[in-house]
Amino acid sequence: MDSSSAGVSYKKADASYFEKRGLSRYAGVWSLWSLGVGAVISGHFSGWNFGFATGGWGGMLVAGIIIAIMYLGLTFSIAEMSPALPHTGAAYSFARTAMGPWGGFITGLCENVEYVLTPAVVVTFITAYVNSILGLDPAYSPFVWIVFYLIFLGLNIFGLELSFKVTLVITLISLGVLVFFWMSAIPNIDFSRWALNIGVGPDGAAVELPEGNGSFFPFGFSGVLATLPFAVWLFLAIEQLPLAAEESVDPKRDMPKGIILGMVTLMVSAFMIVLLNPSLPGVGAFHLGSSLEPLLDGFKAIYGDGGVVLLGLVALTGLIASFHTILYAQGRQIYSLSRAGYFPTALSITHSRYKTPFVANIAGAVVGLAVMLAIWFALGAEQGGSIIGSVLLNMAVFGAMFSYIMQAISFILLRKNLPHIERPFRSPFGIPGAVLTIVIAIVTLLYQIQDPNFSKGVLWVAVWFAVAIAYFAFVGRHRLILSPEEEFAMEHKQAAANATSAAKA
């Protein structure tokens, strides 16, 4: 056993331990690009549009630009850290090297909340589409959740190559659907009449302007800030790409290319959907402020209700792409923390044939479903169904914002304390970009607190954190394993200490 000053203990696992936890390499640049874009793309199909109710059209646009700046700072920081620390641990790995075991664990825990709950949010939107297409009674929604989890868990478990091929195909189809929507919408838009049809009522809430032509910023600058948490949905989960580092053929070359190409793709798509979806006659920003299927509403406005089943299936593709790819990230994130001993090590066992972290995938899915079902049965089908998406969305964004702050801090500390580690890519935004990420993430959190659904969700996040931290404090920190992330961190800490001693001498 080897103890560190952080109050943790390690053991060196034998070869059989890692043989049971082996991964295989397959992903190239376009596989990584599709993993990043596919994870986010559902946010362009549903969820982002709630921001119209808090900021109006102009508020949504400016909030989207601010959040895009935050994600540029974050993704370029990650593009530098990931090839320098090419491990599956991603955010946990960066923070572990920069801030020690406790910093790594807390960062990993924040990301864990995001990746366990985001699929649950996405499957809620999927179910809304399925119910609308098939005319199902919402009382049967839990069965739809379970069916989708089973299908896409299977795709993630039974073969890495299959999973990446499915990811690429459905991501391309999703982008094709969006491009088709843009081309269909452009000849039909009436921007001033419909995108600007939000005003402010006597109680300060959004009201519909029958003739449109309202203000770009009906709620002022405070409305822009209040819309930040919803604009996050346009980019949420692009940061999952480094979780594929140990399954990438050449992470030092391909990881920066994949994440930067993905971010550019998403910025173009985000602008087009924010501009066109609310501008269609019969849709409008006011209606989209509470719609669960905004893209389907847009298709109906253009093509009518006659092909609603076909249009609904088309609009489902983006949600399915994100559900599939974030389940992938969920499994790898739990796997990395488990392999290092932060979570119970049984969770990191991989499939003997397919070399996929099937135990981690199943465990994460069970927790996500359990949270959804608990809300559903505690509040009843009608009330539970109406708030489950928004409550879980708040919980996921809350975890994500904290993980972004911790990753940006990690970037700054790594630049400062480990300047000599090999960096195949360097962020052109450097430390100022990371600082901007931190500032915007903190502001987003402050405005998220004002959402009435926030307190319902954050209480359960606090419970989640308390249980996990208690486990680590009393059990996990005494059972850490010298995984690749841990060995890298300890070796470079020692090297930095030796360099400091030599400089003083």
Side-chain angles (χ1 to χ4, degrees):
M1 301 292 283
D2 174 41
S3 297
S4 79
S5 59
V8 299
S9 302
Y10 290 91
K11 68 177 181 179
K12 194 170 181 65
D14 57 25
S16 65
Y17 178 85
F18 291 105
E19 285 172 5
K20 294 177 182 177
R21 292 161 175 80
L23 300 171
S24 58
R25 294 191 182 274
Y26 174 80
V29 171
W30 291 109
S31 293
L32 295 171
W33 168 84
S34 65
L35 184 67
V37 173
V40 181
I41 204 69
S42 71
H44 298 198
F45 283 63
S46 286
W48 66 275
N49 48 293
F50 298 143
F52 287 131
T54 57
W57 188 85
M60 184 70 224
L61 177 68
V62 174
I65 292 170
I66 293 170
I67 291 299
I69 291 169
M70 180 187 78
Y71 273 94
L72 281 170
L74 175 70
T75 52
F76 273 85
S77 297
I78 290 172
E80 175 173 313
M81 292 188 290
S82 182
L85 292 77
H87 311 119
T88 297
Y92 135 67
S93 176
F94 309 149
R96 168 63 186 91
T97 302
M99 295 183 279
W102 275 99
F105 175 68
I106 296 298
T107 303
L109 192 56
C110 293
E111 197 173 53
N112 181 249
V113 170
E114 176 188 357
Y115 290 141
V116 170
L117 293 181
T118 300
V121 177
V122 175
V123 86
T124 302
F125 293 136
I126 288 174
T127 303
Y129 272 73
V130 170
N131 289 346
S132 177
I133 294 165
L134 302 179
L136 293 178
D137 188 325
Y140 296 107
S141 292
F143 295 104
V144 180
W145 304 339
I146 292 168
V147 167
F148 273 91
Y149 264 104
L150 288 174
I151 292 170
F152 288 96
L153 272 177
L155 286 173
N156 269 289
I157 290 169
F158 297 117
L160 177 69
E161 185 175 342
L162 171 65
S163 181
F164 271 114
K165 284 182 177 178
V166 170
T167 299
L168 180 59
V169 169
I170 59 177
T171 299
L172 289 173
I173 291 173
S174 300
L175 282 173
V177 168
L178 288 172
V179 171
F180 174 66
F181 174 73
W182 305 336
M183 294 174 65
S184 301
I186 287 171
N188 294 286
I189 64 171
D190 185 348
F191 177 81
S192 295
R193 165 66 183 87
W194 293 100
L196 303 180
N197 72 340
I198 291 181
V200 183
D203 60 352
V207 295
E208 185 173 9
L209 301 178
E211 302 301 321
N213 298 297
S215 169
F216 274 73
F217 302 100
F219 300 96
F221 187 65
S222 63
V224 173
L225 297 177
T227 305
L228 292 176
F230 301 106
V232 167
W233 211 239
L234 292 166
F235 303 100
L236 182 74
I238 180 69
E239 75 282 356
Q240 77 171 39
L241 259 181
L243 290 164
E246 291 180 37
E247 292 164 293
S248 170
V249 174
D250 188 351
K252 293 190 176 185
R253 181 196 67 189
D254 294 343
M255 194 63 71
K257 292 180 181 178
I259 198 165
I260 292 168
L261 281 171
M263 192 61 198
V264 171
T265 304
L266 291 166
M267 286 192 296
V268 172
S269 178
F271 174 75
M272 294 299 285
I273 201 71
V274 170
L275 171 65
L276 298 174
N277 208 345
S279 300
L280 289 168
V283 182
F286 179 79
H287 168 72
L288 289 189
S290 59
S291 173
L292 285 176
E293 53 268 348
L295 195 70
L296 182 56
D297 291 337
F299 274 125
K300 286 179 181 178
I302 299 168
Y303 296 104
D305 293 336
V308 66
V309 172
L310 177 61
L311 293 174
L313 290 173
V314 167
L316 261 177
T317 54
L319 297 171
I320 289 172
S322 290
F323 186 64
H324 173 67
T325 50
I326 299 175
L327 281 179
Y328 167 93
Q330 176 194 100
R332 273 61 183 178
Q333 202 271 339
I334 295 171
Y335 161 88
S336 63
L337 287 171
S338 167
R339 182 177 64 174
Y342 291 89
F343 287 172
T345 54
L347 294 173
S348 56
I349 294 173
T350 54
H351 197 286
S352 58
R353 178 180 173 186
Y354 299 108
K355 298 300 180 184
T356 52
F358 72 104
V359 180
N361 269 122
I362 293 170
V366 167
V367 172
L369 267 172
V371 171
M372 296 173 75
L373 291 170
I375 295 173
W376 180 268
F377 288 111
L379 300 178
E382 185 174 344
Q383 188 182 359
S386 66
I387 73 162
I388 196 167
S390 58
V391 170
L392 295 186
L393 188 150
N394 268 286
M395 293 169 73
V397 172
F398 180 76
M401 288 302 107
F402 270 106
S403 80
Y404 297 169
I405 293 166
M406 296 293 277
Q407 287 179 79
I409 292 172
S410 299
F411 175 85
I412 295 167
L413 292 175
L414 289 171
R415 276 279 185 103
K416 180 182 177 183
N417 298 330
L418 295 177
H420 303 302
I421 62 172
E422 180 190 2
R423 287 173 167 85
F425 174 85
R426 289 184 70 88
S427 168
F429 303 129
I431 290 176
V435 170
L436 199 55
T437 296
I438 294 168
V439 171
I440 296 173
I442 290 172
V443 173
T444 302
L445 276 172
L446 291 176
Y447 276 85
Q448 191 187 7
I449 292 170
Q450 299 180 22
D451 188 315
N453 287 311
F454 176 83
S455 59
K456 301 170 187 174
V458 76
L459 173 64
W460 292 107
V461 174
V463 171
W464 192 318
F465 271 51
V467 171
I469 290 171
Y471 170 83
F472 182 64
F474 292 106
V475 180
R477 69 187 179 93
H478 302 298
R479 298 182 179 179
L480 295 186
I481 307 293
L482 285 173
S483 67
E485 295 91 344
E486 298 297 313
E487 286 193 325
F488 181 95
M490 295 176 75
E491 286 170 7
H492 283 81
K493 180 182 178 181
Q494 187 60 49
N498 292 340
T500 301
S501 300
K504 289 180 179 178

